[in-house]
Amino acid sequence: MGVNAARQRDVVVVPTADRMRDFGARLAALLRPGDLLVLSGPLGAGKTVLTQGIAAGLGVRETVTSPTFVLARIYPDGRIPLVHVDAYRLGGVAEVDDLDLDADADSSVTVVEWGAGLVEGLAQDHLEIVLTRPTADEAGETRTVRLVATGPSWVRRLRDLAAD
């Protein structure tokens, strides 16, 4: 199967932060150990809010906060451990390698904010999630979530998500 045949894109409009958390929880129902989610979007787009919803959907009991200053946080108490990474301050793939994310990759769900172009090599199948604010709603809470599935596993799961 060629690369183009193994990619699928879906767009979802999310009107509030609470609905973003709900969307994250729905997405969590599809997650398996070894999954990689790569989140991108401008500051304030909702990357951490989405991750909070994913964590809630996985059953994480701790409060999920941005790992900006610590770079990575591990939440081991959900149905699948969650590794939450902020790659904003990382200068390249070598610095990502220094975090040793692949040590937990097979048994955890890894969510990387600002990871586009840096972490895709951690998993052959991965889900890129691009969050934006529509220009007409700069001051509001509405966000557009673009899901880009890479690999047959994520293409199938996005179809399942769309069917819900």
Side-chain angles (χ1 to χ4, degrees):
M1 178 180 284
V3 171
N4 290 336
R7 291 178 69 88
Q8 177 178 328
R9 298 170 192 248
D10 286 314
V11 176
V12 177
V13 176
V14 182
T16 66
D18 285 340
R19 296 288 296 275
M20 182 68 79
R21 285 184 192 90
D22 292 344
F23 179 73
R26 280 185 47 220
L27 186 58
L30 302 177
L31 296 176
R32 305 174 188 155
D35 279 342
L36 172 64
L37 306 179
V38 182
L39 280 54
S40 60
L43 286 170
K47 295 178 292 293
T48 299
V49 172
L50 177 63
T51 304
Q52 289 169 342
I54 291 168
L58 291 174
V60 171
R61 292 184 297 270
E62 289 181 64
T63 301
V64 172
T65 59
S66 175
T68 299
F69 297 105
V70 296
L71 300 181
R73 295 184 192 276
I74 299 173
Y75 301 95
D77 65 339
R79 74 173 171 84
I80 305 169
L82 173 66
V83 178
H84 183 199
V85 179
D86 187 323
Y88 183 76
R89 296 184 299 137
L90 299 180
V93 175
E95 289 186 30
V96 172
D97 287 344
D98 288 345
L99 291 177
D100 204 20
L101 295 176
D102 53 353
D104 295 316
D106 289 341
S107 60
S108 303
V109 169
T110 304
V111 176
V112 184
E113 297 185 26
W114 305 98
L118 295 173
V119 299
E120 292 85 353
L122 291 173
Q124 190 169 13
D125 287 13
H126 60 274
L127 182 63
E128 180 183 0
I129 303 173
V130 181
L131 296 106
T132 57
R133 281 185 245 172
T135 319
D137 194 32
E138 285 292 327
E141 292 187 65
T142 300
R143 301 293 188 265
T144 300
V145 180
R146 185 171 48 110
L147 304 167
V148 182
T150 298
S153 171
W154 270 111
V155 169
R156 274 190 306 278
R157 287 188 270 170
L158 276 192
R159 283 189 207 121
D160 293 343
L161 184 65
D164 285 345

